[in-house]
Amino acid sequence: MNCIFCKIAAGEIPSFKVYEDDLVLAYLDINPFAKGHTLVIPKKHSEGLLDTDDETLAAVIQRVKKVAAHLKAKLGADGFNILQNNGEAAGQTVKHLHFHIVPRFGGASTEIAFANGKGDFGELEKLAAQIRIQG
Ligand code: 5GP
Ligand code: ZN
């Protein structure tokens, strides 16, 4: 299947890995909204929330919680957003289920900025090594 996140899950395309187990992979978004912006995906392909089986979804959301707690502690974030887009109309660009974890720093804000920054791969590599959860 010509799916970029399946290729990342299979190790055919490199990623800045943050967490991995049998079912789930988490890695840094290459165009981060904020420092530590991480994507959490099931290794098994599905397109979005609605075509994902409940067992897989339960595993993924548990890992979202685990990784979010870890990022918050490790990066000293004050909060975080969880984003999960379904369909082009909602801004979904990669058709493989993924949850965004976006750490937030500083004072109170209800604004969610969707404009991506431009990722510096050297910095992303260092950050992934710094925050990676050892299996
Ligand atoms: P969506 O808008 O579909 O919810 O978000 C897709 C996200 O995937 C975007 O934030 C984009 O930066 C990220 N992305 C696209 N291609 C790659 C890639 O090859 N590697 C990584 N790590 N992230 C990617
Ligand atoms: Zn896929």
Side-chain angles (χ1 to χ4, degrees), residues 4-5 8 13 27-31 33 37 39 85 91-94 98 100 116:
I4 193 164
F5 284 3
I8 287 175
I13 292 178
Y27 47 94
L28 294 177
D29 195 302
I30 50 169
N31 295 307
F33 296 170
H37 180 174
L39 301 174
N85 300 329
Q92 185 179 14
T93 57
V94 179
H98 54 279
H100 299 255
N116 280 17

Side-chain angles (χ1 to χ4, degrees), residues 108-135:
S109 171
T110 52
E111 184 188 342
I112 297 176
F114 282 95
N116 280 17
K118 193 80 198 104
D120 175 325
F121 280 25
E123 289 300 316
L124 289 172
E125 189 167 9
K126 270 191 266 170
L127 181 60
Q130 185 197 333
I131 65 180
R132 185 165 300 133
I133 302 172
Q134 301 302 335

Side-chain angles (χ1 to χ4, degrees), residues 38-58:
T38 298
L39 301 174
V40 183
I41 67 163
K43 290 184 172 176
K44 187 165 84 173
H45 182 86
S46 58
E47 198 171 308
L49 193 76
L50 300 183
D51 66 328
T52 304
D53 66 80
D54 288 353
E55 199 181 333
T56 301
L57 196 56

Side-chain angles (χ1 to χ4, degrees), residues 17-21 66 132-135:
K17 187 170 78 178
V18 174
Y19 174 77
E20 180 172 20
D21 60 34
K66 178 188 176 82
R132 185 165 300 133
I133 302 172
Q134 301 302 335

Side-chain angles (χ1 to χ4, degrees), residues 47-81:
E47 198 171 308
L49 193 76
L50 300 183
D51 66 328
T52 304
D53 66 80
D54 288 353
E55 199 181 333
T56 301
L57 196 56
V60 175
I61 199 68
Q62 283 164 7
R63 274 51 157 204
V64 168
K65 179 181 177 184
K66 178 188 176 82
V67 174
H70 175 77
L71 289 175
K72 188 169 185 286
K74 190 89 181 178
L75 296 175
D78 300 299
F80 57 90
N81 298 108

